[in-house]
């Protein structure tokens, strides 16, 4: 190489970075979906339906596009959609959020939660996470300069341990994230647990993120305990939900945040410089579609049938299904089959059996191995039956 070429190479050098997220790789959901595709496996890993949404919703969005709703909507979201969200929350949870100052439409729940963290967590603030938990929370806290304080849910039952939560609370606690119905354990918080949380937080300045994206998937006649139902909690909470989960359109990436005006004002300061706003025709379409409450009211029965089909099928395999009280997830214990790590078991099951799942360990900060994996049953019955047939070979 001559001198001129060498110096040109040096000039084109990409400067080294100091990673903001040094321990973060690609999310397990993308990794397992890619592996499932590579091995032509039935993908029960990443949580998304393999069936389409209601054609009436497609028509409503199409109509919005063709009627010229294609420019920026107002920064917090299309007013008709915010009103529909306020009406729905009032009818379900008895708390009316003001659509003007308390509801913001987001590009999905993941964006909503990052934006909340950036809006309220200051460097050095602590955020309590209940492990296992969704894998975006801890990196979100790191990006905001906060410190994640990991508190385990009770092993086995995955119920919140309020003694441990009380010990974790400190004057620096800014937030606690409460996810119910819970991904990945498929447990659902009780009213007594919400009450207990309210009492515990009463003397503190801690805020709450209620990640309630599976709010309509609660089974066996149990009701979803939104933080919005509990006035004392609602006063300090951001409630996050997702149209993707409720209407089978995870790829549309539209959700929302409801929070008291003072919290919403700070949220919007960040939101406007993050995504600014969310695509217009989908918002108009959703606003029209939401006038009919049947789709969300029928969702629990629809998914309960799938849960029952899948859990009954699992009982005939060597996997042991855990209870699934909510969400579209079903966890299973494979300790009767193998002592591999959860990640190894999931990779082998994808390659050799042809069914992909998510290792429970992916939802913990440390290396916690319980011989548990998570399946998503938001699939056509024929897909679930095909997976079950394969799982018999385990
Ligand atoms: N919430 C979904 C799950 O837990 C996936 C979301 C994602 O892939 N980021 O599987």
């Amino acid at each position: 190489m001559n001198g001129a070429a060498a110096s040109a190479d040096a000039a084109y050098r990409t400067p080294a970075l100091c990673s903001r997220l040094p321990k973060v790789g690609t999310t397990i959901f993308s990794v397992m979906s890619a592996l499932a595709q590579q091995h032509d496996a039935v993908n029960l890993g990443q949580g998304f339906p393999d069936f389409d949404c209601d054609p009436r919703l497609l028509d409503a969005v199409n109509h919005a596009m063709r009627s010229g709703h294609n420019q920026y909507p107002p920064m917090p979201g299309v007013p008709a959609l915010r009103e529909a969200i306020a009406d729905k929350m009032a009818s379900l949870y008895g708390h009316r959020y003001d659509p003007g100052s308390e509801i913001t439409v987001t590009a999905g729940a993941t964006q909503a939660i990052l934006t909340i963290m950036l809006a309220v967590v200051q460097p050095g603030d602590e955020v309590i996470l209940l492990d296992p938990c969704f894998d975006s929370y801890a990196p979100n806290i790191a990006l905001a300069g906060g410190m994640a304080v990991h508190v385990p849910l009770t092993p086995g039952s995955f119920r919140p341990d309020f003694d441990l939560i009380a010990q974790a609370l400190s004057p620096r606690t800014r937030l606690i994230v409460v996810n119910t119905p819970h991904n990945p354990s498929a447990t659902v918080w009780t009213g007594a647990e919400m009450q207990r949380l309210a009492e515990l937080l009463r003397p503190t300045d801690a805020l709450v993120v209620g990640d309630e994206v599976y709010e309509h998937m609660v089974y066996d006649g149990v009701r979803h305990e939104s933080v919005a139902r509990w006035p004392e909690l609602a006063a300090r909470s951001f409630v996050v939900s997702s149209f993707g989960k409720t209407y089978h359109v995870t790829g549309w990436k539209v959700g929302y945040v409801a929070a008291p005006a003072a919290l919403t004002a700070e949220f919007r300061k960040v939101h406007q410089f993050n995504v600014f706003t969310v695509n217009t025709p989908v918002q108009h379409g959703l606003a029209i579609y939401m006038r009919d409450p049947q789709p969300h009211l029928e969702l629990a029965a629809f998914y309960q049938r799938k849960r029952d089909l899948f859990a009954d099928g699992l009982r005939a395999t060597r996997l042991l299904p855990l209870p699934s009280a909510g969400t579209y997830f079903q966890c299973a214990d494979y300790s009767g089959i193998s002592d591999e790590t959860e990640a190894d078991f999931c990779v082998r099951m994808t390659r050799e059996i042809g069914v992909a799942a998510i290792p429970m360990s992916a939802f913990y900060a440390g290396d916690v191995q319980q011989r548990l994996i998570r399946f998503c049953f938001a699939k056509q019955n024929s897909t679930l039956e095909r997976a079950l047939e394969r799982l018999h070979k385990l």
Side-chain angles (χ1 to χ4, degrees):
M1 196 188 287
N2 65 33
S7 69
D9 275 359
Y12 298 153
R13 180 182 58 87
T14 302
L17 289 179
C18 177
S19 177
R20 303 250 1 241
L21 297 172
K23 292 188 194 134
V24 167
T26 304
T27 83
I28 186 70
F29 308 109
S30 305
V31 170
M32 290 311 297
S33 282
L35 196 71
Q37 205 168 12
Q38 190 186 333
H39 294 276
D40 205 21
V42 183
N43 188 0
L44 304 189
Q46 191 177 25
F48 64 91
D50 75 340
F51 43 86
D52 215 348
C53 65
D54 186 338
R56 289 182 302 154
L57 177 56
L58 298 178
D59 289 345
V61 172
N62 191 11
H63 178 74
M65 276 185 187
R66 296 208 176 265
S67 320
H69 290 300
N70 298 303
Q71 308 309 325
Y72 297 128
M75 180 272 280
V78 165
L81 180 57
R82 284 183 278 136
E83 275 155 31
I85 294 165
D87 288 348
K88 183 175 114 167
M89 292 186 78
S91 80
L92 291 176
Y93 308 129
H95 183 105
R96 175 162 290 279
Y97 287 91
D98 173 38
S101 60
E102 299 188 315
I103 292 177
T104 312
V105 180
T106 61
T110 302
Q111 181 246 313
I113 294 168
L114 171 63
T115 302
I116 293 168
M117 301 285 186
L118 293 174
V120 306
V121 175
Q122 307 258 0
D125 282 355
E126 295 173 358
V127 179
I128 296 179
L129 298 181
L130 305 176
D131 282 3
C133 66
F134 192 59
D135 69 343
S136 75
Y137 301 160
N140 286 178
I141 297 163
L143 289 172
M147 291 255 305
V149 176
H150 293 273
V151 175
L153 293 169
T154 306
S157 68
F158 297 103
R159 302 243 62 96
D161 180 330
F162 288 99
D163 292 334
L164 291 183
I165 296 172
Q167 282 166 31
L169 282 167
S170 89
R172 308 188 77 165
T173 308
R174 176 75 283 180
L175 265 183
I176 175 167
V177 182
V178 173
N179 170 218
T180 181
H182 183 247
N183 177 11
S185 75
T187 52
V188 170
W189 279 44
T190 63
E193 286 166 338
M194 291 313 244
Q195 184 61 45
R196 191 73 211 287
L197 180 73
E199 286 159 12
L200 212 55
L201 298 185
R202 192 171 298 151
T204 76
D205 280 333
L207 305 174
V208 178
V209 174
D211 177 350
E212 304 186 0
V213 300
Y214 302 102
E215 62 184 318
H216 302 299
M217 300 170 209
V218 178
Y219 309 126
D220 307 311
V222 171
R223 78 173 197 181
H224 166 56
E225 295 296 341
S226 174
V227 291
R229 274 191 204 283
W230 303 84
E232 192 178 351
L233 286 175
R236 57 171 78 223
S237 295
F238 294 91
V239 186
V240 178
S241 195
S242 149
F243 292 109
K245 310 290 189 292
T246 301
Y247 295 146
H248 318 306
V249 286
T250 60
W252 287 7
K253 296 298 299 173
V254 183
Y256 55 90
V257 175
L263 300 183
T264 295
E266 288 304 313
F267 177 88
R268 289 180 181 174
K269 285 185 193 172
V270 179
H271 177 78
Q272 68 183 337
F273 295 128
N274 179 2
V275 293
F276 173 51
T277 188
V278 175
N279 87 71
T280 310
V282 166
Q283 291 195 55
H284 279 280
L286 285 167
I288 289 168
Y289 188 69
M290 278 185 86
R291 287 186 198 147
D292 179 4
Q294 273 328 100
H296 71 255
L297 295 177
E298 286 166 1
L299 199 67
F302 170 79
Y303 273 127
Q304 185 169 323
R305 288 192 292 273
K306 292 195 182 291
R307 177 203 65 175
D308 290 345
L309 185 160
F310 189 60
D312 287 348
L314 282 183
R315 279 185 204 101
T317 72
R318 293 166 69 209
L319 290 164
L320 189 71
L322 268 53
S324 170
T327 73
Y328 48 40
F329 300 118
Q330 169 69 63
C331 295
D333 181 323
Y334 65 85
S335 58
I337 302 175
S338 161
D339 54 14
E340 286 160 288
T341 65
E342 292 168 356
D344 287 350
F345 185 79
C346 285
V347 169
R348 187 171 65 81
M349 197 170 76
T350 307
R351 285 203 182 122
E352 295 177 10
I353 305 293
V355 180
I358 302 289
M360 181 70 95
S361 53
F363 300 89
Y364 284 90
D367 181 28
V368 177
Q369 296 291 335
Q370 303 166 93
R371 311 279 182 265
L372 294 178
I373 56 177
R374 188 203 78 177
F375 293 103
C376 170
F377 57 75
K379 307 293 166 188
Q380 298 172 54
N381 291 355
S382 59
T383 308
L384 296 174
E385 280 154 6
R386 195 149 41 92
L388 287 166
E389 226 167 79
R390 297 180 178 194
L391 291 172
H392 275 114
K393 295 188 218 123
L394 271 171

